[in-house]
Amino acid sequence: MEQRISLVTLGVADLARAKAFYAALGWRGTEVEETVFHQAGGLALVLWDRRKLAADCGLPDAPQAGFGGIALAHNVRTDAEVDTVLDAAAKAGGTVSRPAALNAIGFYSGVFTDPDGHAWEVAHNPGFTLAEDGSLVLPDFGGRAVSFGGRPASADGR
C-alpha cells in the first residue's frame, strides 16, 4: 500500500446541514448522488449519509457518545488565523470543544466539532511548514526530539 490518503469521508446525519456548515467555513463542494465532494489539496473530503457509510463499510451504525477516536487537523500560518477559524466554526453552528491556547507541546491550537461531532484541530505550529498551496511539509525528525511549537511548554504542560 502506498503511503497516501485519497479520501476522508465523514458520515453525517443531515447532508444539507453538513453541506451548509462547511460552505459557511468557505469550503466549496460538488454534490453528486447525495454525496458532497470537496477537493482539499491532494485529497478529497467527502460528506455522506452516516447510515450509508456504515453499511458500505460493513459495520453497524452504532453512534457513540463523545469522542469517536479520530481528529482532523487544519494547520494555519498564524495564531490569529487559529482564532479566526474557531470563531467562524462557532458562527456556522459548530462547537468549540477546546478554546485556542498554547498546548502541552508549545504551539497554539484549539478544537471545534462540526454539527455531527467530527473533531477538527486548528493549529499554528511553526515547526510544520505550510507550502504556498497550503500543503503540509513535515520537518526532518531525524530520530531526535523536535520542538514543534518553537516555544517551550511550561512545567505544568501549558
mmCIF file of all heavy atoms in Angstrom, residues 127-129 137-148:
data_model
loop_
_atom_site.group_PDB
_atom_site.id
_atom_site.type_symbol
_atom_site.label_atom_id
_atom_site.label_comp_id
_atom_site.label_asym_id
_atom_site.label_seq_id
_atom_site.Cartn_x
_atom_site.Cartn_y
_atom_site.Cartn_z
ATOM 1 N N GLY A 127 6.728 24.696 13.615
ATOM 2 C CA GLY A 127 7.606 23.594 13.257
ATOM 3 C C GLY A 127 7.141 22.815 12.043
ATOM 4 O O GLY A 127 7.892 22.019 11.483
ATOM 5 N N PHE A 128 5.895 23.006 11.643
ATOM 6 C CA PHE A 128 5.342 22.356 10.452
ATOM 7 C C PHE A 128 5.116 23.445 9.415
ATOM 8 O O PHE A 128 4.228 24.270 9.556
ATOM 9 C CB PHE A 128 4.003 21.686 10.757
ATOM 10 C CG PHE A 128 4.086 20.389 11.516
ATOM 11 C CD1 PHE A 128 5.270 19.908 12.034
ATOM 12 C CD2 PHE A 128 2.945 19.648 11.713
ATOM 13 C CE1 PHE A 128 5.326 18.709 12.731
ATOM 14 C CE2 PHE A 128 2.984 18.441 12.408
ATOM 15 C CZ PHE A 128 4.178 17.975 12.919
ATOM 16 N N THR A 129 5.885 23.426 8.368
ATOM 17 C CA THR A 129 5.794 24.447 7.329
ATOM 18 C C THR A 129 4.591 24.189 6.427
ATOM 19 O O THR A 129 4.295 23.052 6.082
ATOM 20 C CB THR A 129 7.078 24.421 6.465
ATOM 21 O OG1 THR A 129 8.198 24.621 7.318
ATOM 22 C CG2 THR A 129 7.050 25.490 5.397
ATOM 23 N N VAL A 137 4.345 20.427 5.101
ATOM 24 C CA VAL A 137 5.675 19.858 4.925
ATOM 25 C C VAL A 137 6.189 19.495 6.318
ATOM 26 O O VAL A 137 6.432 20.373 7.143
ATOM 27 C CB VAL A 137 6.639 20.859 4.242
ATOM 28 C CG1 VAL A 137 8.019 20.246 4.091
ATOM 29 C CG2 VAL A 137 6.082 21.309 2.900
ATOM 30 N N LEU A 138 6.302 18.192 6.580
ATOM 31 C CA LEU A 138 6.798 17.756 7.881
ATOM 32 C C LEU A 138 8.278 18.069 8.022
ATOM 33 O O LEU A 138 9.028 18.022 7.039
ATOM 34 C CB LEU A 138 6.588 16.243 8.046
ATOM 35 C CG LEU A 138 5.148 15.769 8.194
ATOM 36 C CD1 LEU A 138 5.090 14.255 8.206
ATOM 37 C CD2 LEU A 138 4.514 16.341 9.444
ATOM 38 N N PRO A 139 8.726 18.361 9.245
ATOM 39 C CA PRO A 139 10.158 18.596 9.459
ATOM 40 C C PRO A 139 10.924 17.283 9.341
ATOM 41 O O PRO A 139 10.348 16.202 9.411
ATOM 42 C CB PRO A 139 10.220 19.145 10.888
ATOM 43 C CG PRO A 139 8.994 18.610 11.553
ATOM 44 C CD PRO A 139 7.951 18.494 10.486
ATOM 45 N N ASP A 140 12.223 17.382 9.164
ATOM 46 C CA ASP A 140 13.082 16.194 9.158
ATOM 47 C C ASP A 140 13.336 15.827 10.611
ATOM 48 O O ASP A 140 14.183 16.398 11.276
ATOM 49 C CB ASP A 140 14.392 16.495 8.435
ATOM 50 C CG ASP A 140 15.345 15.316 8.430
ATOM 51 O OD1 ASP A 140 14.931 14.198 8.793
ATOM 52 O OD2 ASP A 140 16.514 15.520 8.074
ATOM 53 N N PHE A 141 12.572 14.863 11.118
ATOM 54 C CA PHE A 141 12.663 14.485 12.517
ATOM 55 C C PHE A 141 14.019 13.857 12.833
ATOM 56 O O PHE A 141 14.538 14.022 13.927
ATOM 57 C CB PHE A 141 11.538 13.522 12.907
ATOM 58 C CG PHE A 141 10.165 14.127 12.788
ATOM 59 C CD1 PHE A 141 9.279 13.668 11.836
ATOM 60 C CD2 PHE A 141 9.766 15.147 13.623
ATOM 61 C CE1 PHE A 141 8.018 14.218 11.723
ATOM 62 C CE2 PHE A 141 8.513 15.699 13.523
ATOM 63 C CZ PHE A 141 7.632 15.238 12.567
ATOM 64 N N GLY A 142 14.596 13.112 11.915
ATOM 65 C CA GLY A 142 15.927 12.546 12.076
ATOM 66 C C GLY A 142 16.142 11.766 13.357
ATOM 67 O O GLY A 142 17.262 11.718 13.862
ATOM 68 N N GLY A 143 15.094 11.177 13.912
ATOM 69 C CA GLY A 143 15.237 10.368 15.107
ATOM 70 C C GLY A 143 15.544 11.143 16.366
ATOM 71 O O GLY A 143 15.958 10.591 17.373
ATOM 72 N N ARG A 144 15.344 12.444 16.341
ATOM 73 C CA ARG A 144 15.643 13.241 17.520
ATOM 74 C C ARG A 144 14.413 14.022 17.948
ATOM 75 O O ARG A 144 13.475 14.179 17.183
ATOM 76 C CB ARG A 144 16.800 14.190 17.251
ATOM 77 C CG ARG A 144 16.502 15.228 16.190
ATOM 78 C CD ARG A 144 17.764 15.984 15.788
ATOM 79 N NE ARG A 144 17.686 17.136 14.972
ATOM 80 C CZ ARG A 144 16.800 17.469 14.049
ATOM 81 N NH1 ARG A 144 15.774 16.749 13.825
ATOM 82 N NH2 ARG A 144 16.905 18.560 13.340
ATOM 83 N N ALA A 145 14.438 14.502 19.170
ATOM 84 C CA ALA A 145 13.332 15.304 19.680
ATOM 85 C C ALA A 145 13.261 16.613 18.905
ATOM 86 O O ALA A 145 14.279 17.194 18.551
ATOM 87 C CB ALA A 145 13.528 15.590 21.165
ATOM 88 N N VAL A 146 12.066 17.044 18.608
ATOM 89 C CA VAL A 146 11.847 18.270 17.858
ATOM 90 C C VAL A 146 10.933 19.172 18.668
ATOM 91 O O VAL A 146 9.946 18.710 19.232
ATOM 92 C CB VAL A 146 11.192 17.960 16.491
ATOM 93 C CG1 VAL A 146 10.841 19.234 15.758
ATOM 94 C CG2 VAL A 146 12.100 17.095 15.648
ATOM 95 N N SER A 147 11.259 20.457 18.744
ATOM 96 C CA SER A 147 10.373 21.424 19.374
ATOM 97 C C SER A 147 9.378 21.877 18.323
ATOM 98 O O SER A 147 9.701 22.672 17.451
ATOM 99 C CB SER A 147 11.171 22.624 19.892
ATOM 100 O OG SER A 147 10.292 23.621 20.342
ATOM 101 N N PHE A 148 8.179 21.323 18.353
ATOM 102 C CA PHE A 148 7.201 21.620 17.323
ATOM 103 C C PHE A 148 6.787 23.076 17.314
ATOM 104 O O PHE A 148 6.680 23.689 16.283
ATOM 105 C CB PHE A 148 5.958 20.748 17.497
ATOM 106 C CG PHE A 148 6.209 19.306 17.221
ATOM 107 C CD1 PHE A 148 6.097 18.366 18.216
ATOM 108 C CD2 PHE A 148 6.568 18.886 15.958
ATOM 109 C CE1 PHE A 148 6.316 17.046 17.964
ATOM 110 C CE2 PHE A 148 6.798 17.560 15.693
ATOM 111 C CZ PHE A 148 6.671 16.631 16.694
#
